[in-house]
Amino acid sequence: MKICVLPGDGIGPEIMAQAVRVLKAVHPSLETEDALLGGCAVDAFGSPYPEPTRVLARKADAVLLGAVGGPRWDSKPRDLRPETGLLAIRKDLGLFANLRPALLYPELADSSTLKPEVVAGLDILIVRELTGDIYFGQPRGIETREIDGKRQRFGFNTMHYSEAEIVRIGRVAFDAARRRGRKLCSVDKMNVLETTQLWRDVMTELSGNYPDVMLTHMLVDNAAMQLVREPKQFDVIVTGNMFGDILSDEASMLTGSIGMLPSASLDESGKGLYEPSHGSAPDLAGRDLANPLATILSAAMLLRYTFSMQADAERIENAVRKVLAQGFRTADIYRPGTKKIGTRAMGDAVIAALDAR
Ligand code: IPM
Ligand code: MG
């Protein structure tokens, strides 16, 4: 059992150090090996997803990622940006199914900017397609063209989905709904975009195989509104890459604590890349301030989805609940009356809270 560890940039190395400590406390025999992805890889190898990282990531059973990006690389050409490395590893490993839970912990009920009664008990899962759509469609680019008698710059991207791509993400979403509240909402923009008309048709056809799951459809603009109006109407949401990017950020903020949310990106065989939903927070880097819990919870997802170690995943998740109940908080979730601690102390607290096996 080998895990490729990609600490990344910004707060990545700090939060990753705590997640790896927790993993090893739960499973001393897990083997980990570090590699570079993102801005640190651009600095060292001139590529955000260099060959040694690719070799290790392909060989490992799972990948645990901290975060990538930072202002230092923002002005670089597109192929030297940290985000390009993230997109490249997703595509290269075939990680088409992105699971983004938005769960409000009762201890953090007052973290949300929404009224407590709107978000109390919130537990949503967004299933985002991750290797298709306008993110990867060709042709794409910025060119100079003659338009309306004027030479001018012209930007273009291409949105497309094949039936097979929709079916495979649909299956992941229906299966997930089956293990939860048996409600699936498919989000599209079929009133304007043919690609998403096909999306809706295929989801409807697929629902014949899942009579126990209630499928509904929603247009993406309405879904964005419903997520803040009445988020608890949702159980599982399935949508394409672009809409999923936007809606998952919106859903994460319902919980008020993006520093708490893990994610999993899976291939057809259950191999996965696990990462916190938040970014690299360069302003917090190196200051022992960042919240490592999303990365620690991502490690729990890794044990659950790639290694089928349900009990161990729950041990970590229960430990996180316990430290919150004990009142420990990093700065991002701190409220008067709780105990503010740093990144490393939060790792210590989680390890101390792991129940004996
Ligand atoms: C995400 C991020 C990425 C995306 C960026 C960094 C390329 O926003 O994981 O949601 O758009 O997929
Ligand atoms: Mg995003």
Side-chain angles (χ1 to χ4, degrees):
M1 288 181 302
K2 184 156 190 170
I3 302 173
C4 166
V5 172
L6 304 174
D9 309 316
I11 56 171
E14 289 165 78
I15 54 180
M16 184 59 76
Q18 302 316 313
V20 169
R21 286 178 67 213
V22 172
L23 263 181
K24 295 215 160 142
V26 170
H27 254 287
S29 63
L30 280 180
E31 221 187 301
T32 60
E33 193 171 334
D34 283 25
L36 300 178
L37 182 86
C40 56
V42 170
D43 292 347
F45 292 99
S47 159
Y49 183 42
E51 192 55 24
T53 304
R54 182 162 182 265
V55 169
L56 182 63
R58 286 181 155 234
K59 198 170 65 187
D61 301 299
V63 179
L64 189 60
L65 169 66
V68 300
R72 281 206 303 127
W73 303 281
D74 278 350
S75 53
K76 298 244 185 214
R78 192 162 293 276
D79 59 336
L80 291 182
R81 287 198 202 151
E83 295 77 8
T84 303
L86 189 57
L87 296 172
I89 192 172
R90 287 174 180 169
K91 192 72 177 174
D92 186 41
L93 300 183
L95 307 172
F96 70 96
N98 184 215
L99 310 184
R100 297 192 166 182
L103 181 73
L104 184 71
Y105 289 85
E107 293 81 7
L108 302 179
D110 57 355
S111 299
S112 179
T113 48
L114 271 70
K115 291 187 198 131
E117 63 268 28
V118 175
V119 291
L122 184 83
D123 182 358
I124 299 177
L125 176 67
I126 296 195
V127 178
R128 169 188 177 195
E129 200 290 330
L130 203 61
T131 52
D133 204 348
I134 196 166
Y135 266 58
F136 292 94
Q138 295 288 348
R140 62 192 296 158
I142 303 174
E143 289 174 357
T144 304
R145 292 190 185 176
E146 178 97 18
I147 298 164
D148 299 333
K150 185 171 179 260
R151 279 191 73 72
Q152 52 184 293
R153 282 172 300 166
F154 182 78
F156 55 101
N157 289 91
T158 307
M159 178 181 222
H160 60 63
Y161 267 122
S162 70
E163 180 175 355
E165 283 177 308
I166 304 171
V167 167
R168 68 178 183 177
I169 191 71
R171 288 206 182 108
V172 170
F174 275 106
D175 286 337
R178 211 168 232 180
R179 291 190 300 267
R180 295 172 42 107
R182 295 174 185 268
K183 278 188 351 185
L184 177 62
C185 180
S186 171
V187 172
D188 60 48
K189 187 70 184 173
M190 63 77 93
N191 52 350
V192 181
L193 303 170
E194 287 80 358
T195 307
T196 73
Q197 173 69 61
L198 178 67
W199 179 282
R200 186 175 289 215
D201 294 346
V202 172
M203 288 296 168
T204 304
E205 289 154 21
L206 210 52
S207 70
N209 302 332
Y210 297 86
D212 50 328
V213 175
M214 192 179 84
L215 174 70
T216 55
H217 303 276
M218 203 177 272
L219 297 172
V220 63
D221 47 353
N222 185 28
M225 181 183 81
Q226 296 297 336
L227 267 174
V228 286
R229 196 185 73 90
E230 199 196 332
K232 282 188 272 180
Q233 70 186 283
F234 297 107
D235 175 20
V236 180
I237 292 176
V238 64
T239 191
N241 203 346
M242 181 79 186
F243 299 157
D245 178 44
I246 299 165
L247 294 182
S248 62
D249 263 29
E250 186 186 6
S252 73
M253 259 302 126
L254 301 173
T255 71
S257 49
I258 198 166
M260 295 295 302
L261 301 178
S263 78
S265 306
L266 307 175
D267 75 0
E268 310 243 15
S269 64
K271 173 166 174 171
L273 179 147
Y274 301 83
E275 59 178 317
S277 290
H278 60 71
S280 60
D283 51 320
L284 302 182
R287 300 168 60 196
D288 196 42
L289 285 174
N291 185 349
L293 292 177
T295 316
I296 290 170
L297 291 166
S298 299
M301 284 185 101
L302 181 156
L303 295 180
R304 171 172 295 116
Y305 288 104
T306 293
F307 297 124
S308 298
M309 297 171 171
Q310 314 297 345
D312 291 325
E314 277 166 29
R315 260 184 96 197
I316 296 178
E317 288 159 355
N318 289 338
V320 168
R321 288 206 165 86
K322 202 156 143 191
V323 299
L324 293 175
Q326 288 165 344
F328 294 121
R329 302 282 188 274
T330 41
D332 56 316
I333 51 175
Y334 172 77
R335 292 285 176 281
T338 61
K339 298 169 218 158
K340 196 191 279 184
I341 59 174
T343 310
R344 190 177 165 90
M346 188 57 101
D348 292 340
V350 173
I351 290 169
L354 289 168
D355 291 325
R357 271 204 292 181

